[in-house]
């Protein structure tokens, strides 16, 4: 029995190979994901543990600004018993100035400068450490971003608005401890003492150490001694605690990566399940007569079922083995190609291998189970018929469940509303969307007949090729549905994310476009920094500037006359610039900040405050003892808050001194935009930390992160699409095999080889386009719910990503053509004589 | 061979399969002509080369040696074509426009309706069916109320009649039928044969039919007897009895006991 089956499998090696390939791809992606996340986690933590640390001392700051340790503390600590070495570490503002004259973005500039020492903090990858003024060493990634290597001259922007030119003498990788950021630039100790300080500290200010690192054989003794010596103003952490914290961080970083990647692997796997199940079904269907013969000669149903399942297990095991091997290879290759500087760890855990096998075998068995049951139900009589088919369960149950899922999902979304979108409701709406998405997968076969069948009638006089292609596509709706569903899975998610991205970027664009005049020049702090007062003064000093909006935000409590209050934000700016250099979106009242405050609409609604009412603004004032200052003010209007103008808008002059506020952008307008821009570029030529841009560039910069994330998402979802494309090839190839006879008749009746190829190609394009249209439609709707859940916009308020949709549709057309290449060639080679011979 | 107006003719047609010990000569230098407007039946024991002869005549198979001409008076002088040496596309077009086929079974494309199957050769050529001729053919096969059915919804006899209609719709120079009644019961078979006969009588169609059934052969104007790849005898104005007699005498003439009429 089994031997007969296996021999039969061997006789159909081509079909077996196609099933195997589907399993291999699915398994490979899962295993590769696991390997990449293991390796990534290991890379994050590998080799960066320092063994030379007994303890680290930091000051416990009273305020956020004063946290440096006086230099003389080092000598006190060095003298303690058990301490073999005490090393003060400096941190200060430093940023490499690139060829554009502006600073780069790789490092957190506030702490990117440090002093070189020969501890394990630094691991040189080339050159040597800096020894005198005029020499620096660079962190590898920062050096790569600035395009600098050993021997190059480099310009560094420093605190106190100075810049320094030095020669790069070494490139290093950094071993960070605890929460420390990697620095970008290391100076020799003397130069560091002279140059390194916070961004806004004057060059003359005396600076201290950010922390002190202690070495010593007995860690506990060192910690105890240091704690006793320093008292309450300092925090002493042991080296092993720091290492443990760091390992924990690495683990959780690795976990985050793994979870994200596995979500994508799951999607690819789902597409794989469809492909494998479909291929299996075809494999069984094509052997109907063989099963019937087995039954006729006395095989019991259970035996046939078991035989098919055994076949699935064998294929699953073989496919998993190949898939695991390919996945490990792919994963390691991906780690090689990742832009990681320094040591890359390659980890293949037993879990990756086990998971690969589990997935491959279980998925194959699940996929084959239905086929096995159907194969067992083949009647022995079928052996006598030449047109015997495997009995199939009716689609009624599946369709009903699918429609119910769609209905329930839609209802779950519908019961929530944008006005009152709490966390549980967001989850409910998202779950509804996912449920409806599965519903569509279930109803896909009915959809195939419902959509494609009328198409033949719509085309008034279809050429025979088109007619036959369309008819073949709807011939077995399940098969077409499974094939296009696999495509739909990946594609709908691509389109959903694209819709969210598009909506976000449309919103951002609308916000910026309405707030910033088109001819405004935008001044922005580079590298996620902030703009200081001198930048504002410098801009105002440019004669071409007719109005300058320099919004700066901070925290404020708004207290209404009715006693209600709200902890929120304020943004202060020059009243003269409101309406000219920046335009709030006014929802009621006016915008003259000289006469009072503009409340954010949300706050106005929350407090029940209207235009003309009085409110008190309670500002926190910084200082040794926290205090607040209250300012009574009239509400002149309400506005729709935005990222540019956050919270309550007030006159610069209204904000009491000592209130912390910061801004990272300024907007200038003048008579002639290009003249203005030229003037501002000249004025800020000596400010590497300030970018001079127009509105378009600002938008590009703001939208770039979305594009990057979306790009990554597309690449990861690409795996699901690739597997699905493979499914199209599978379906076509097996269909062609199944239709040898009719292809022969078709050829005998006068269809040329080219015509046969064209017929198969059309069928392929029809299936692919159908999957494409379904995927895009479902994806945009899913995206609508996703942006609703994220932004609380109306569901149908999403922006449709026409470009992505167009490209996807074109891509699917192309997929159709490419997937048909081989099956079409096979079909065209059909041997007429063999086809029309009556066995 | 009498020198009459031939629709298809072949000269020294030879077909060999395999080589060495396994060499089979399926056709052995056959020279034959099929008269225009005649129904010719080819008979012979199983394995005698009937199908091979038909396939070579129709350009479905390539002979090892010899030549085949298709001679369509409807196409004027240019209508005389020699098949050997034609490329696949030219042969395909020739089959589409100038030949009709009825096979033993599985003649129809399952996804197309009866009407679409019938007009397929014209569709492929990009021609529109001549409605009055189509009506004639459809009424002759009696399929008027079955035109929008799929093959799966038709009986075997109805399917064969659809195939006959399709073979005639493009008014080909010749219709080749390989055991057209082989899979039918005698009643359905008689319908199909009657239809082929009428297409010859009423439409002046040329038909070449392979059969192993003496009754089927009796519908023909002329019967050719094939044995071991050679034409061994011929009969004009056959009746079933005369055909059977001739088969018996050929059988006894041949050494061994081959049964006529088993398989195609
Ligand atoms: N493709 C082939 N390969 C080898 N031998 C073949 C092939 N086709 C036919 N033959 C042989 O050629 C001979 C004639 O076959 P065929 O024309 O099919 O006979 P018929 O149709 O009269 O039964 C037989 O001996 C058959 O075995
Ligand atoms: Mg035969």
């Amino acid at each position: 029995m089994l031997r007969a089956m296996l021999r039969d499998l061997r006789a159909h090696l081509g079909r077996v190979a196609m099933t195997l390939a589907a399993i291999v791809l699915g398994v490979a992606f899962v295993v590769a994901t696991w390997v990449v996340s293991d390796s990534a986690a290991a890379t994050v933590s590998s080799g960066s543990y320092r063994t030379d640390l007994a303890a680290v001392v930091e000051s416990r700051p009273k305020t956020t600004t004063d946290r440096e340790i006086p230099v003389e503390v080092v000598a006190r600590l060095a003298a303690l018993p058990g301490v073999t070495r005490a090393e003060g570490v400096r941190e200060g503002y430093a940023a490499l100035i690139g060829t554009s004259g502006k600073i780069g973005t790789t490092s957190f500039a506030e702490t990117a400068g440090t002093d070189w020492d020969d501890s394990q903090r630094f691991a040189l990858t080339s050159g040597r450490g800096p020894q005198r003024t005029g020499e620096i060493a660079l962190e590898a990634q920062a050096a790569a971003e600035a395009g600098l290597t050993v021997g190059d001259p480099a310009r560094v922007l420093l605190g106190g608005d100075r810049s320094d030119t030095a020669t790069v003498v070494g490139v290093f990788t950094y071993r960070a401890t605890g929460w420390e950021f990697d620095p970008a630039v290391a100076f020799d100790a003397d130069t560091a003492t002279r140059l390194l300080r916070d961004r806004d500290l004057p060059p003359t200010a005396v600076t201290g150490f950010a922390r002190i690192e202690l070495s010593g054989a007995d860690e506990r003794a060192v910690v105890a001694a240091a704690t006793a010596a320093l008292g309450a103003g300092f925090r002493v952490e042991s080296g092993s605690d720091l290492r443990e914290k760091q390992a924990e961080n690495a683990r959780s970083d690795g976990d985050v990566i793994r979870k994200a990647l596995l979500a994508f692997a799951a999607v690819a796997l789902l597409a794989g399940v469809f492909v494998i199940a479909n291929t299996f079904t075809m494999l069984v269907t094509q052997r109907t007569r063989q099963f019937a013969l087995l039954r006729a000669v006395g095989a019991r149903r259970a035996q046939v079922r078991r035989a098919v399942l055994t076949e699935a297990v064998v294929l699953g095991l073989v496919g998993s083995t190949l898939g695991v091997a390919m996945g490990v290879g792919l994963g390691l290759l991906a780690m090689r190609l990742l832009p990681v500087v320094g040591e890359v760890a390659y980890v293949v855990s037993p879990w990756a291998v086990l998971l690969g096998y589990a997935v491959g075998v279980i998925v194959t068995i699940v996929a084959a189970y239905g086929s096995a049951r159907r194969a067992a139900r083949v009647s022995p009589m079928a052996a006598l018929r030449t047109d015997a088919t495997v009995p199939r369960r009716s689609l009624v149950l599946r369709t009903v469940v699918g429609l119910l899922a769609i209905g329930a999902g839609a209802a779950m979304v519908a019961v929530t509303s944008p006005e009152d979108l709490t966390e549980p409701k967001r989850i409910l709406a998202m779950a509804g969307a996912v449920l409806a998405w599965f519903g569509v997968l279930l109803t896909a076969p009915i959809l195939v007949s419902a959509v494609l069948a009328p198409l033949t009638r719509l085309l008034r006089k279809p050429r025979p090729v088109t007619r036959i292609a369309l008819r073949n596509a709807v011939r077995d709706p399940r098969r077409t549905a499974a094939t296009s569903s696999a495509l739909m899975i990946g594609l709908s998610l691509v389109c959903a994310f694209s819709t969210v991205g598009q909506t976000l970027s449309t919103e951002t664009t609308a916000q910026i476009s309405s707030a910033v005049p088109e001819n405004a020049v935008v001044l922005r702090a580079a590298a996620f920094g902030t703009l200081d007062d001198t930048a504002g003064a410098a801009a105002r000093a440019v004669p071409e500037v007719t109005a300058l909006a320099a919004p700066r935000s901070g925290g404020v409590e708004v207290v209404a006359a009715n006693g209600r209050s709200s902890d929120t934000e304020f943004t202060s700016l020059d009243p003269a610039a409101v309406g000219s250099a920046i335009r709030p979106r006014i929802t009621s009242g006016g915008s003259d900040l000289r006469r009072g405050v503009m409340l954010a609409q949300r706050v106005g609604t929350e407090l029940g405050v209207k235009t003309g009412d009085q409110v008190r603004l309670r500002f926190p004032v910084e200082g040794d003892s926290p205090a607040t200052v209250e300012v009574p003010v009239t509400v002149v209007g309400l506005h729709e808050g935005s990222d540019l103008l956050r919270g309550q808008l007030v006159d610069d002059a209204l904000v009491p001194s000592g209130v912390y506020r910061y801004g990272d952008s300024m907007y200038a307008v003048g008579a002639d935009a290009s003249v203005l821009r030229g003037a501002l570029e000249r004025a800020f030529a000596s400010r590497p930390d300030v970018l001079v841009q127009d509105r378009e560039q600002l938008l590009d910069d703001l939208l770039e992160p979305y594009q990057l994330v979306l790009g990554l998402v597309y690449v990861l979802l690409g795996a699901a699409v690739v597997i699905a494309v493979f499914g199209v090839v599978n379906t076509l190839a097996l269909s062609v095999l199944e239709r040898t006879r009719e292809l022969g008749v078709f050829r005998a009746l006068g269809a040329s080889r080219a015509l046969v190829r064209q017929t198969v190609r059309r069928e392929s394009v029809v299936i692919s386009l159908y999957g494409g249209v379904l995927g895009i439609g479902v994806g945009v709707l899913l995206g609508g719910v996703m942006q609703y859940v994220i932004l609380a916009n109306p569901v149908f308020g999403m922006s449709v990503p026409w470009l992505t949709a167009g490209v996807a549709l074109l891509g699917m057309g192309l997929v159709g053509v490419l997937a048909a290449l081989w099956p079409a060639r096979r079909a065209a080679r059909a041997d007429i004589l063999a086809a029309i011979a009556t066995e | 061979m009498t020198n009459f107006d031939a629709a298809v003719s072949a000269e020294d047609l030879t077909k060999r399969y395999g080589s060495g010990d396994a060499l089979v000569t399926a056709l052995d230098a056959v020279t034959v002509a099929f008269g225009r407007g005649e129904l010719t039946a080819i008979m012979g024991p199983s394995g005698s080369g009937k199908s091979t002869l038909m396939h070579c005549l129709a350009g479905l198979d390539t002979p090892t040696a010899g030549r085949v001409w298709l001679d369509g008076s409807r196409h004027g002088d240019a209508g005389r074509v020699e098949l050997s040496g034609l490329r696949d596309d030219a042969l395909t077009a020739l089959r589409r426009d100038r030949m009709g086929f009825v096979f033993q079974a599985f003649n129809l494309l399952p996804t197309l309706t009866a009407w679409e199957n019938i007009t397929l050769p014209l569709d492929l050529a990009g021609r529109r069916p001549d409605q009055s001729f189509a009506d004639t053919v459809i009424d002759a096969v009696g399929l008027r109320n079955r035109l929008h059915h799929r093959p799966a919804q038709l009986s075997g006899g109805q399917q064969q009649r659809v195939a006959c209609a399709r073979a005639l719709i493009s008014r080909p120079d010749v219709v080749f039928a390989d055991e057209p009644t082989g899979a039918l019961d005698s009643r359905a078979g008689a319908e199909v044969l009657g239809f082929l006969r009428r297409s010859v009588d009423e439409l002046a169609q040329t038909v070449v039919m392979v059969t192993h059934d003496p009754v089927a052969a009796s519908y023909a104007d002329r019967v050719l007897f094939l044995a071991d790849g050679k034409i061994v005898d011929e009969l004009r104005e056959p009746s079933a009895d005369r055909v059977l007699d001739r088969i018996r005498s050929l059988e006894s003439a041949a050494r061994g006991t081959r049964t006529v009429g088993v398989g195609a």
Side-chain angles (χ1 to χ4, degrees):
Chain A
M1 174 80 187
L2 192 58
R3 197 169 324 140
M5 296 278 303
L6 289 179
R7 201 169 295 150
D8 192 54
L9 270 185
R10 211 158 33 189
H12 297 111
L13 270 185
R15 306 173 200 197
V16 171
M18 282 186 270
T19 318
L20 271 183
I23 303 170
V24 169
L25 277 181
V27 171
F29 194 62
V30 173
V31 173
T33 302
W34 204 267
V35 169
V36 166
S37 45
D38 274 345
S39 302
T43 301
V44 172
S45 57
S46 77
S48 52
Y49 296 103
R50 293 178 58 184
T51 52
D52 61 345
L53 275 183
V56 171
V57 175
E58 283 179 317
S59 79
R60 263 193 231 273
K62 283 206 227 46
T63 67
T64 47
T65 45
D66 178 31
R67 54 182 173 75
E68 289 192 340
I69 307 173
V71 178
E72 58 275 10
V73 176
V74 175
R76 261 168 63 205
L77 290 173
L80 291 175
V83 173
T84 55
R85 169 189 160 112
E87 185 82 54
V89 174
R90 286 182 184 274
E91 271 177 2
Y93 184 95
L96 282 170
I97 300 169
T99 44
S100 63
K102 304 294 178 187
I103 61 177
T105 57
T106 306
S107 325
F108 178 58
E110 276 306 326
T111 60
T114 192
D115 54 337
W116 180 269
D117 60 39
D118 53 4
S119 75
Q120 289 178 4
R121 283 206 291 153
F122 303 97
L124 277 169
T125 57
S126 67
R128 56 175 173 81
Q131 286 160 357
R132 59 187 69 82
T133 302
E135 293 181 352
I136 51 171
L138 300 180
E139 195 275 331
Q141 226 156 320
E145 191 201 31
L148 295 171
T149 50
V150 172
D152 292 342
R155 281 217 299 148
V156 187
L157 180 68
L158 295 161
D161 271 333
R162 285 181 302 171
S163 66
D164 187 49
T165 305
T167 306
V168 180
V169 295
V171 174
F172 60 86
T173 56
Y174 195 76
R175 294 195 189 94
T177 341
W179 292 108
E180 191 186 357
F181 287 109
D182 284 0
V185 187
F187 298 89
D188 65 283
D190 289 341
T191 312
T193 310
R194 225 161 18 82
L195 295 180
L196 289 182
R197 62 204 59 245
D198 284 358
R199 176 89 180 90
D200 43 10
L201 276 188
T204 49
V206 177
T207 56
F209 291 119
R211 62 180 183 280
I212 298 168
E213 300 179 354
L214 303 178
S215 304
D218 185 348
E219 189 181 286
R220 262 198 265 167
V222 170
V223 171
T227 311
L230 290 171
F234 294 86
R235 185 176 56 209
V236 183
E237 270 190 285
S238 74
S240 50
D241 279 357
L242 285 168
R243 276 191 292 276
E244 185 43 49
K245 212 190 274 179
Q246 197 176 350
E248 182 55 45
N249 286 346
R251 267 195 298 277
S252 69
D253 281 0
D255 260 2
V256 169
I257 297 172
R258 190 199 312 277
K259 275 181 193 139
L261 285 178
L262 279 180
F264 289 107
V267 171
L269 202 65
L270 185 61
V273 170
F274 271 81
V275 172
I276 297 170
N278 200 30
T279 313
F280 241 98
T281 307
M282 289 189 275
L283 207 55
V284 166
T285 311
Q286 296 184 348
R287 287 182 296 167
T288 308
R289 290 190 72 189
Q290 205 228 337
F291 296 131
L293 267 175
L294 284 174
R295 295 273 285 120
V297 299
R300 276 175 293 116
R301 288 194 169 187
Q303 280 176 306
V304 172
R305 193 163 52 227
R306 220 176 304 134
V308 173
L309 283 179
T310 311
E311 183 181 308
V313 171
V314 171
L315 282 178
L317 281 174
V318 175
S320 302
T321 308
L322 295 174
V324 165
M326 189 170 143
V328 168
L330 274 179
L332 297 183
L333 185 73
M335 285 310 291
R336 260 212 108 93
L337 298 180
L338 277 184
V340 179
V341 180
E343 282 293 291
V344 177
Y346 298 98
V347 181
V348 180
S349 72
W351 284 113
V353 176
L354 271 179
L355 183 77
Y357 272 99
V359 160
V361 174
I362 291 171
V363 162
T364 311
I365 290 178
V366 167
Y369 183 73
S371 306
R373 289 187 39 146
R374 280 194 298 277
R377 276 207 305 270
V378 170
S379 117
M381 284 304 294
L384 308 176
R385 296 209 313 268
T386 35
D387 56 345
T389 50
V390 172
R392 308 212 60 167
R393 214 170 346 119
S394 98
L395 286 168
V396 174
L397 181 68
R398 182 173 163 172
T399 307
V400 167
V401 172
L403 288 176
L404 282 178
I406 295 177
M412 283 160 76
V413 176
V415 295
T416 64
S417 68
E419 286 76 39
D420 175 31
L421 204 58
T422 55
E423 193 67 21
K425 287 187 179 170
R426 282 173 205 265
I427 293 172
L428 182 73
M430 198 58 229
V434 173
L435 186 63
W437 185 79
F438 275 105
V440 173
L441 280 186
L442 288 176
T443 46
I446 289 295
L447 276 177
V448 168
S449 327
V451 172
L452 290 184
L455 216 58
T456 0
R457 263 166 261 143
L458 273 182
L459 298 168
R460 286 251 326 282
K461 287 217 170 4
R463 312 262 305 125
V465 178
T466 311
R467 172 153 56 208
I468 294 173
L470 273 172
R471 295 276 173 81
N472 280 339
V474 288
R475 192 168 179 173
D476 186 343
R478 278 172 208 262
R479 181 182 297 184
T480 304
T483 313
S484 45
S485 295
L487 275 175
M488 186 208 107
I489 291 170
L491 207 58
S492 63
L493 291 178
V494 165
C495 285
F497 280 101
S498 182
T499 301
V500 173
Q502 184 76 28
T503 307
L504 282 172
S505 74
T506 307
E507 294 246 310
T508 309
T509 309
Q511 259 189 21
I512 301 278
S513 305
S514 82
V516 181
E518 198 188 344
N519 57 2
V521 174
V522 182
L523 299 162
R524 280 202 320 134
F528 314 108
T530 56
L531 290 176
D532 51 20
D533 295 341
T534 54
R540 255 180 275 274
V542 173
E544 283 83 355
V545 174
T546 55
L548 182 82
R552 283 177 295 165
S553 307
V556 73
E557 189 181 359
V558 181
V559 186
N562 58 18
R564 279 194 268 174
S565 75
S566 170
D567 246 329
T568 168
E569 283 174 306
F570 74 90
T571 297
S572 72
L573 66 171
D574 178 4
V578 176
S580 54
I582 198 146
R583 301 177 296 224
R585 259 193 278 184
I586 303 169
T587 51
S588 72
S591 62
D592 187 357
L593 297 186
R594 273 171 289 243
R595 298 198 294 116
V597 65
M598 283 189 85
L599 290 192
Q601 178 65 53
R602 194 181 53 77
V603 174
T605 311
E606 184 189 335
L607 301 182
V609 173
K610 293 186 300 297
T611 303
D613 289 355
Q614 283 283 321
V615 293
R616 280 169 296 148
L617 301 180
R618 196 174 280 162
F619 291 102
V621 179
E622 292 203 323
D624 283 345
S625 51
T628 58
V629 177
E630 272 193 13
V631 182
V633 65
T634 312
V635 175
V636 296
L638 296 167
H639 78 114
E640 191 82 55
S642 74
D643 284 345
L644 269 57
L645 293 173
R646 282 201 291 262
Q648 332 315 313
L649 301 186
V650 296
D651 186 348
D652 265 331
L654 184 107
V655 181
S657 66
V659 173
Y660 176 74
R661 49 188 166 149
Y662 72 93
D664 58 9
S665 304
M666 300 191 290
Y667 311 89
V669 285
D672 182 324
S674 62
V675 171
L676 173 66
R677 178 156 182 185
L680 283 168
E681 265 166 8
R682 277 190 300 283
F684 284 89
S686 58
R687 288 292 299 266
D689 60 328
V690 180
L691 305 175
V692 181
Q693 299 183 320
D694 58 21
R695 196 173 77 177
E696 285 312 301
Q697 288 168 313
L698 169 68
L699 261 176
D700 288 348
D701 278 7
L702 292 181
L703 297 181
E704 196 187 59
Y706 299 147
Q707 304 308 331
L708 282 178
V709 171
L710 277 184
L712 194 64
V713 168
Y714 294 160
V715 168
L716 290 170
L717 288 172
V721 177
V722 167
I723 292 178
V725 169
F726 196 80
V728 181
V729 180
N730 248 357
T731 301
L732 287 173
L734 288 174
S735 301
V736 163
L737 281 178
E738 218 172 76
R739 298 178 198 150
T740 331
R741 189 183 291 279
E742 61 182 271
L743 283 169
V745 170
F746 194 41
R747 288 269 293 125
L749 290 181
S752 62
R753 291 212 164 95
L755 214 61
V756 171
R757 272 199 297 273
Q758 216 178 328
T759 311
V760 176
R761 208 180 306 134
R762 292 249 165 107
E763 181 182 352
S764 169
V765 170
V766 165
I767 295 177
S768 308
L769 282 184
Y770 172 71
V773 171
L774 194 66
I776 292 168
V778 169
V780 169
L781 287 177
L782 182 63
V785 178
M786 277 163 69
Q787 59 93 31
Y788 162 69
V789 166
I790 297 168
L791 303 170
N793 276 346
V795 173
F796 292 102
M798 76 278 205
S799 310
V800 177
W802 293 113
L803 183 69
T804 313
V807 169
L809 207 58
L810 267 181
M812 284 305 110
L814 195 67
V815 159
V817 172
L818 290 181
L821 277 182
W822 180 63
R825 226 182 13 226
R826 267 205 84 118
R829 276 206 313 259
D831 182 358
I832 306 179
L833 290 177
I836 60 183
T838 30
E839 309 192 7
Chain B
M1 209 74 21
T2 41
N3 194 9
F4 55 70
D5 182 15
V8 191
S9 46
E11 190 180 281
D12 288 333
L13 206 53
T14 303
K15 177 78 187 178
R16 291 190 200 92
Y17 292 107
S19 58
D21 280 350
L23 186 87
V24 178
T25 305
L27 287 180
D28 193 359
V30 173
T31 299
V32 68
F34 297 90
R36 187 181 313 287
E38 275 191 354
L39 172 53
T40 309
I42 302 173
M43 295 201 74
S46 184
S48 58
K50 304 183 294 292
S51 295
T52 308
L53 174 60
M54 214 193 78
H55 293 156
C56 287
L57 292 173
L60 290 169
D61 204 352
T62 336
T64 315
R67 310 205 281 173
V68 176
W69 290 271
L70 181 66
D71 197 349
S73 64
R74 281 179 189 146
H75 301 82
D77 274 350
R80 187 173 164 86
V81 193
E82 193 193 331
L83 263 53
S84 40
L86 285 186
R87 300 173 59 100
D88 184 71
D89 279 350
L91 276 176
T92 303
L94 212 58
R95 281 200 303 273
R96 184 187 70 199
D97 299 333
R98 297 177 59 182
M99 298 178 191
F101 291 94
V102 183
F103 303 111
Q104 182 173 347
F106 308 111
N107 269 295
L108 309 178
L109 298 198
T111 54
L112 300 185
T113 62
W115 169 252
E116 287 163 351
N117 262 296
I118 291 172
T119 54
L120 185 60
L122 295 176
D123 269 354
L124 286 174
R127 287 191 280 149
R128 318 193 71 235
D130 168 349
Q131 197 57 50
S132 70
F133 183 68
D135 284 341
T136 313
V137 171
I138 287 160
D139 289 332
V141 289
L143 287 165
R144 178 60 64 195
N145 52 5
R146 288 278 187 279
L147 285 182
H148 299 293
H149 288 51
R150 299 276 173 100
Q153 301 162 311
L154 298 174
S155 72
Q158 286 169 333
Q159 289 185 27
Q160 282 310 75
R161 284 188 277 148
V162 171
C164 290
R166 182 189 59 199
L168 291 169
I169 196 82
S170 58
R171 302 198 216 210
D173 291 332
V174 58
V175 169
F176 291 107
D178 193 353
E179 308 259 7
T181 58
L184 302 181
D185 60 48
S186 57
R187 214 191 112 148
E191 274 172 18
V192 168
L193 289 166
F195 174 68
L196 287 176
R197 183 68 244 170
R198 279 185 19 234
S199 74
V200 172
D201 295 340
E202 294 166 19
L203 306 172
Q205 185 62 57
T206 309
V207 179
V208 177
M209 171 177 76
V210 167
T211 183
H212 63 265
D213 176 8
V215 178
S218 71
Y219 282 77
D221 296 305
R222 173 178 171 227
V223 183
L224 296 176
F225 293 91
L226 216 58
D228 293 333
K230 291 195 182 77
I231 293 181
V232 290
D233 204 351
E234 123 163 43
L235 192 64
R236 283 213 156 257
E237 309 298 324
S239 69
D241 288 342
R242 287 181 60 208
V243 173
L244 210 53
D245 285 346
R246 196 64 64 93
I247 290 171
R248 293 224 176 86
S249 65
L250 283 173
E251 233 175 274
S252 52
R255 291 174 43 83
T257 49
R258 238 184 320 229
T259 339
V260 179
V262 181

